[in-house]
Amino acid sequence: MTTDHSQSETRAFETEVQQLLHLMVHALYSHRDIFLRELISNASDAIDKLHFEGLKNEALFEGQKEGRIRLVTDSDAGTLTVIDNGIGMDRDEVVENLGTIAHSGSQAFLNQMTGDEDRDVELIGQFGVGFYAAFMVAGRVTVETRRAGVDPTNGVRWTSDGTGSYTVETMERPELGTAITLELKEDASEFLEAETLRRVVKTYSDHIPYAVVLEGAEGEETLNEASALWTRPRNEISEEEYRNFYAHVAHGDTDPLTWLHFHAEGTTEYTALLYLPSQPPLDLWQPDARHGVRLYVRRVFITDQARDLLPTYLRFLRGVVDAPDLPLNISREMLQSDAQVARIRKGVVRRVLKRLGDMAANEPDRYRRFWDNFGAVLKEGVPEDASNRDELAPLLRFHSNRAPDQWLSLAAYKERMRESQEAIYYLTGDDVATLKDSPQLEVFEKKGVEVLLLTDPVDEWVTMHLPEFDGTPLKSVAHGDVDLSGIGGEETESMASEAESPAGFEDLVTTLRNAMAGSVSDVRLSRRLTGSPSCIVADDNALGEHMERLLKAANQPVPESAPILELNPEHALVKQMQAIHATDPNDDRLREWGLLLLDQARLAQGADLPDPAATAKRMATMMGEAAGSGPSRIIT
């Protein structure tokens, strides 16, 4: 529908925005202070954007280059107005940013709501829906704005009572930027009081880099520090100031886990203030997740999407990097190829990994909290960042069959290795519960050999790119053959090689190998099994069943391959198969039972069955024989 922009029009909020407005008013009532934090934060961002665009076009400032945020109260009218001299919005931007789901982030916010008020209030800033917090305290909100560089006759007024619709109209607005007027509810009159506004600004917005000024009957008063915290010496900054600044850059109220504040000099000069969050951001696993480190040049905001400033495996960091030697007009394209940016990235990564290493060594409880939240992300660095692989490897943590509820480093694993053990053993899969009961671990359990249990999808790529640690190879217990005969000075009977197996088994294996061709790449007697009848493994150079499942789930091409079926010659069922084979090598039950053992091994690994109906039929036939209704009974 074509709309005449010179006229006033009323539009309905999208459904998700209406739901969000209802939640803001009714579900987060006890956290009403945050409305002002969000409006001031948005105002600061608008000034940042104007300063960035003004680098290329000085006229956009319209003579107001100094950023300023004003709070104006009117006790008679019962209104609080937040005014900035930032970039402003045109009519289309007002409709997109304040009325539709695509730009407000409302759907993502609603999807993450838990009903826990303290947690849900943390989501507001993260999903860019902070503007709607105004309706916590206001019965009506009016936004008057004009985009920098646009004629004053093309200002825009947006008005809503937050119940389902809004009105937008063109207006005359000489002033640059945006003014948001809140007609306060009766129970929100405290936000007309200077003392309340001082408290809220000091708590949430003290380190906004622009002056937040209260304008009232008694004149003007600057309420915040209005300084770039990262430019001050560390010994002049209190812990409370560091934590308050984190609340600003992370858009939340939780404390950070820790932080790094340093100044680098030499070939490239820069200052960094970086925080490790105590909780993962909600968009941590989204492909288009914003990176939380903002780039400044001489305190001038450049971008919060400097993806080349940090590797993706450190995307959980929040904070700022200020590089005075970079050109103010640097573009995102230039960031990708700039040598100074590359040196900054290298230095920042080195500092962060060193801080994590120190934490792991000296603050294990704190590091465990970090690993619980961000370990799977950090592991992405092993395949992605070859230059820092040696620094990343000691930071890795895994569960094991001996400690399924604890985190274990590779160095700690090595200290617990059995005498004569020559490898760090691991098994990949979907979850610890399934892995620790895997048949592939049976001989390792019997020999007292610890096996790492790797359950993050990225672990498959980690082990591909980390063939050894501190001189000891990493080996999958689900690939190739295993030989633990030298550990503990004893040999498990079921670990005998095929050549040493009891008479007749080699013929059974050959028959099954031929009968099951296409379903398996090989059949052999197992060195792994002590109790289960079968398991499946992959060749040393094959992907493995778990990796194949991950690739298929990601719609990636998977090379054609078939597993190796291993049988336990000590199991009653395998012995029965040997007996049948000795009587009639062509008995159809041999293939059917072999396929049933193959599917049983798949289920034990948590894999899907290729033909569940066929498996069920084989199982029913076998149960019938066991009950005496078939041609022969199973020997037990």
Side-chain angles (χ1 to χ4, degrees):
M1 180 181 69
T2 302
T3 302
D4 182 357
H5 281 189
S6 65
Q7 301 298 317
S8 172
E9 60 173 323
T10 298
R11 297 189 175 201
F13 284 117
E14 290 193 349
T15 302
E16 293 83 0
V17 177
Q18 294 185 41
Q19 294 172 350
L20 175 62
L21 288 167
H22 181 81
L23 287 169
M24 286 288 187
V25 174
H26 299 287
L28 303 175
Y29 183 84
S30 62
H31 293 79
R32 296 196 301 175
D33 285 1
I34 67 162
F35 89 89
L36 190 56
R37 177 194 75 185
E38 294 301 318
L39 295 184
I40 291 176
S41 179
N42 290 348
S44 177
D45 288 345
I47 298 172
D48 279 344
K49 291 174 182 176
L50 176 61
H51 282 200
F52 180 65
E53 292 192 16
L55 295 173
K56 301 176 182 177
N57 185 359
E58 183 83 16
L60 291 177
F61 290 112
E62 300 182 13
Q64 301 181 48
K65 196 167 185 178
E66 183 179 352
R68 200 159 179 254
I69 301 168
R70 298 154 53 205
L71 307 181
V72 180
T73 59
D74 185 331
S75 298
D76 294 335
T79 61
L80 169 65
T81 304
V82 180
I83 306 170
D84 69 68
N85 57 347
I87 193 68
M89 294 178 283
D90 60 28
R91 187 181 183 117
D92 289 339
E93 289 172 326
V94 166
V95 172
E96 290 178 351
N97 292 333
L98 305 185
T100 65
I101 191 69
H103 292 264
S104 69
S106 307
Q107 184 62 66
F109 176 85
L110 291 169
N111 290 342
Q112 296 291 342
M113 290 283 285
T114 65
D116 180 341
E117 187 173 345
D118 289 331
R119 182 182 181 278
D120 290 343
V121 77
E122 288 291 311
L123 308 181
I124 292 174
Q126 293 185 31
F127 284 99
V129 297
F131 167 76
Y132 300 114
F135 289 98
M136 292 178 174
V137 297
R140 176 172 293 274
V141 176
T142 300
V143 178
E144 296 183 350
T145 184
R146 177 173 64 84
R147 203 181 203 288
V150 172
D151 189 274
T153 60
N154 287 323
V156 184
R157 179 184 290 116
W158 179 99
T159 306
S160 178
D161 61 5
T163 59
S165 65
Y166 61 92
T167 299
V168 61
E169 59 185 321
T170 301
M171 63 171 292
E172 177 92 15
R173 179 171 170 80
E175 299 87 356
L176 174 71
T178 301
I180 302 176
T181 300
L182 286 68
E183 298 179 21
L184 297 173
K185 300 174 182 177
E186 290 186 7
D187 63 355
S189 60
E190 63 184 294
F191 294 104
L192 294 171
E193 300 171 4
E195 188 56 39
T196 298
L197 297 176
R198 289 190 193 100
R199 174 184 59 78
V200 175
V201 171
K202 189 68 177 176
T203 300
Y204 295 113
S205 308
D206 196 40
H207 297 294
I208 290 290
Y210 308 106
V212 179
V213 177
L214 174 61
E215 297 182 1
E218 300 178 359
E220 295 188 3
E221 175 187 356
T222 299
L223 302 181
N224 65 324
E225 185 76 22
S227 67
L229 184 77
W230 63 89
T231 63
R232 294 164 52 190
R234 285 180 299 176
N235 59 6
E236 295 180 5
I237 306 173
S238 67
E239 284 204 5
E240 181 181 7
E241 288 176 306
Y242 274 123
R243 296 181 192 280
N244 288 342
F245 186 69
Y246 172 73
H248 167 58
V249 298
H251 296 282
D253 295 329
T254 58
D255 286 337
L257 188 63
T258 189
W259 58 83
L260 304 83
H261 186 193
F262 61 91
H263 180 73
E265 295 181 329
T267 307
T268 301
E269 180 183 358
Y270 63 94
T271 298
L273 175 51
L274 304 172
Y275 293 89
L276 290 177
S278 56
Q279 296 179 359
L282 274 302
D283 60 354
L284 185 64
W285 297 106
Q286 295 179 8
D288 58 348
R290 66 183 180 90
H291 283 214
V293 174
R294 300 162 65 97
L295 176 64
Y296 288 78
V297 174
R298 295 188 292 279
R299 295 181 56 180
V300 175
F301 171 74
I302 302 300
T303 180
D304 57 2
Q305 290 296 324
R307 293 180 177 270
D308 295 282
L309 199 60
L310 285 174
T312 57
Y313 66 87
L314 294 180
R315 61 183 176 273
F316 48 80
L317 291 174
R318 296 291 181 261
V320 299
V321 171
D322 195 331
D325 295 334
L326 289 176
L328 281 169
N329 61 349
I330 189 168
S331 65
R332 292 182 183 177
E333 292 73 22
M334 291 171 63
L335 285 172
Q336 296 174 3
S337 57
D338 188 89
Q340 291 189 73
V341 172
R343 287 193 289 269
I344 293 171
R345 173 187 173 115
K346 182 178 180 180
V348 169
V349 170
R350 180 175 56 82
R351 291 270 194 151
V352 171
L353 295 185
K354 183 180 185 303
R355 177 68 183 94
L356 291 175
D358 292 343
M359 190 194 304
N362 303 314
E363 302 173 278
D365 290 341
R366 189 191 296 262
Y367 188 75
R368 185 173 61 251
R369 290 173 58 198
F370 163 77
W371 190 261
D372 285 338
N373 288 324
F374 304 110
V377 180
L378 190 69
K379 282 191 284 190
E380 295 174 7
V382 175
E384 290 179 7
D385 190 355
S387 63
N388 285 298
R389 198 167 290 153
D390 290 343
E391 286 70 32
L392 285 162
L395 300 175
L396 304 180
R397 297 293 185 270
F398 305 100
H399 297 296
S400 80
N401 60 330
R402 286 172 53 185
D405 299 323
Q406 301 175 14
W407 291 116
L408 184 69
S409 70
L410 293 174
Y413 177 98
K414 286 195 63 173
E415 292 176 358
R416 293 153 60 150
M417 285 172 58
R418 294 291 308 275
E419 185 178 354
S420 302
Q421 183 179 337
E422 298 178 348
I424 297 172
Y425 292 104
Y426 68 89
L427 179 62
T428 59
D430 293 332
D431 59 81
V432 170
T434 300
L435 289 180
K436 68 185 181 66
D437 293 329
S438 171
Q440 295 161 335
L441 297 184
E442 289 177 356
V443 73
F444 294 88
E445 295 280 4
K446 186 166 186 175
K447 287 283 189 173
V449 174
E450 191 163 22
V451 178
L452 299 177
L453 307 179
L454 281 54
T455 57
D456 289 319
V458 72
D459 288 332
E460 293 280 3
W461 285 268
V462 169
T463 54
M464 282 184 182
H465 292 83
L466 193 68
E468 59 87 24
F469 174 75
D470 193 24
T472 303
L474 273 69
K475 180 172 176 55
S476 170
V477 304
H479 282 72
D481 200 2
V482 297
D483 184 359
L484 304 184
S485 58
I487 297 179
E490 62 181 36
E491 177 142 13
T492 306
E493 292 181 6
S494 62
M495 289 167 55
S497 68
E498 186 173 330
E500 300 167 332
S501 62
F505 275 96
E506 58 271 15
D507 294 334
L508 171 64
V509 166
T510 300
T511 296
L512 289 174
R513 188 180 294 134
N514 295 329
M516 299 174 66
S519 297
V520 297
S521 61
D522 194 11
V523 178
R524 66 191 185 200
L525 298 184
S526 182
R527 295 173 181 264
R528 294 173 171 83
L529 300 171
T530 63
S532 300
S534 65
C535 70
I536 55 174
V537 298
D539 186 74
D540 278 321
N541 299 317
L543 289 179
E545 184 275 332
H546 182 246
M547 182 63 155
E548 290 181 359
R549 276 192 285 136
L550 292 176
L551 292 175
K552 288 176 182 177
N555 295 318
Q556 297 296 314
V558 180
E560 290 292 333
S561 65
I564 298 169
L565 176 63
E566 291 194 348
L567 301 177
N568 178 3
E570 298 302 315
H571 194 277
L573 181 56
V574 180
K575 288 181 177 180
Q576 174 71 7
M577 293 173 73
Q578 181 197 22
I580 293 173
H581 185 273
T583 302
D584 182 5
N586 297 316
D587 193 311
D588 290 342
R589 287 176 295 172
L590 294 175
R591 180 179 183 276
E592 292 300 299
W593 291 9
L595 291 172
L596 194 57
L597 288 175
L598 175 62
D599 284 348
Q600 177 183 324
R602 286 190 173 111
L603 290 174
Q605 289 189 201
D608 294 330
L609 298 178
D611 189 347
T615 302
K617 184 177 180 180
R618 292 187 188 102
M619 180 66 73
T621 300
M622 192 174 190
M623 291 172 66
E625 294 174 357
S629 60
S632 66
R633 295 178 62 87
I634 295 176
I635 298 173
T636 58

